[in-house]
């Protein structure tokens, strides 16, 4: 919860399909005094990005996409339906990324029961939806100013979940971050005291199986032009 208390905060999703409409009903742990609480906007966004990737991949994004889907966030005062003054600034990641994975799971369960082979092909392993990076601060002697370095390539190069018809996509990234891309090496090197030594796909990182998950990557960065940098890894 950000205050040194080691605890798990359960949340769940019930997916009900009725005719040509569907409802996602969420429940979650009581909201806490840490920034993991997910607002309704987060819940809607994290649910819809999953649907766009897994189920609505051939449908143009417009207002009509929302009409068949209904969302129930349960009673107010939980991590999936917080009340003021609950802190929410990291809810899109800490809780929201798990919501994205939950929706992928229940959608996979539902489409696995479909008569249509095209729908059944949308069964997929849950996305990784993690973020591996670092926030480093120091004093850039070359530019004579303080600087914060947050490399953007590592978080967007994870493998995607396997499907029943093919391997997962390599360097898929976080499913909930549609439109994100990996910046060019020159961009990262021009915005901070860093040199990219390599970016490469990590062999055999997708796991075993008839269809494996997508391959992830490894990235090596070197700090240069600055005596030292400090900060947390994420």
């Amino acid at each position: 919860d950000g205050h040194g208390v080691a605890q798990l905060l359960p949340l769940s999703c019930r997916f009900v399909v009725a005719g040509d409409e569907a409802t996602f009903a969420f429940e979650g742990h009581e909201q806490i005094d840490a920034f993991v609480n997910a607002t309704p906007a987060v819940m809607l966004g994290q649910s819809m990005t999953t649907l766009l990737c897994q189920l609505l991949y051939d449908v143009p994004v417009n207002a009509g996409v929302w009409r068949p889907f209904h969302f129930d966030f349960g009673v107010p005062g939980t991590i999936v339906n917080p009340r003021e003054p609950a802190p929410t600034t990291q809810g899109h990641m800490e809780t929201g990324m798990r919501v994205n994975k939950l929706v992928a799971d229940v959608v996979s369960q539902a489409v696995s029961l479909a008569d249509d082979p095209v729908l059944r092909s949308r069964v997929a392993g849950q996305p990784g939806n993690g973020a591996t990076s670092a926030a480093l601060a120091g004093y850039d002697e070359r530019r004579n100013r303080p600087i914060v370095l947050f490399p953007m390539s590592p978080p967007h190069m994870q493998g995607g979940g396997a499907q029943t018809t093919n391997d997962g996509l390599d360097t898929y990234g976080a499913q909930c971050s549609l439109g994100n891309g990996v910046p060019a090496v020159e961009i990262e090197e021009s915005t901070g005291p860093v040199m990219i030594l390599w970016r490469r796909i990590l062999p055999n990182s997708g796991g075993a199986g008839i269809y494996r998950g997508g391959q992830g990557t490894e990235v090596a960065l070197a700090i240069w032009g600055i005596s030292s940098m400090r900060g947390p890894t994420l």
Side-chain angles (χ1 to χ4, degrees), residues 190-213:
S190 66
T191 55
V194 61
M195 178 183 297
I196 310 296
L197 300 182
W198 66 75
R199 295 173 177 170
R200 58 194 181 199
I201 291 177
L202 189 61
N204 302 318
S205 58
I210 296 174
Y211 295 109
R212 59 160 176 78

Side-chain angles (χ1 to χ4, degrees), residues 150-171:
F150 190 84
M152 290 305 298
S153 53
H156 301 305
M157 300 175 71
Q158 307 163 75
Q163 295 178 231
T164 54
T165 55
N166 53 269
D167 295 341
L169 295 175
D170 296 341
T171 65

Side-chain angles (χ1 to χ4, degrees), residues 72-83:
D72 178 2
F73 302 136
V75 298
T78 69
I79 59 174
V80 295
N81 191 11
R83 289 187 296 228

Side-chain angles (χ1 to χ4, degrees), residues 8 22 47 54 62 113 119 123 129 137 142-144 146 183 193 197:
L8 295 176
S47 299
Q54 189 167 358
N62 57 67
L113 303 174
L119 277 179
V123 174
N129 279 7
R142 296 177 305 165
R143 296 178 174 85
N144 195 30
L197 300 182

Side-chain angles (χ1 to χ4, degrees), residues 51-62:
L51 291 170
L52 290 174
C53 290
Q54 189 167 358
L55 200 60
L56 307 175
Y57 51 91
D58 58 349
V59 178
V61 179
N62 57 67

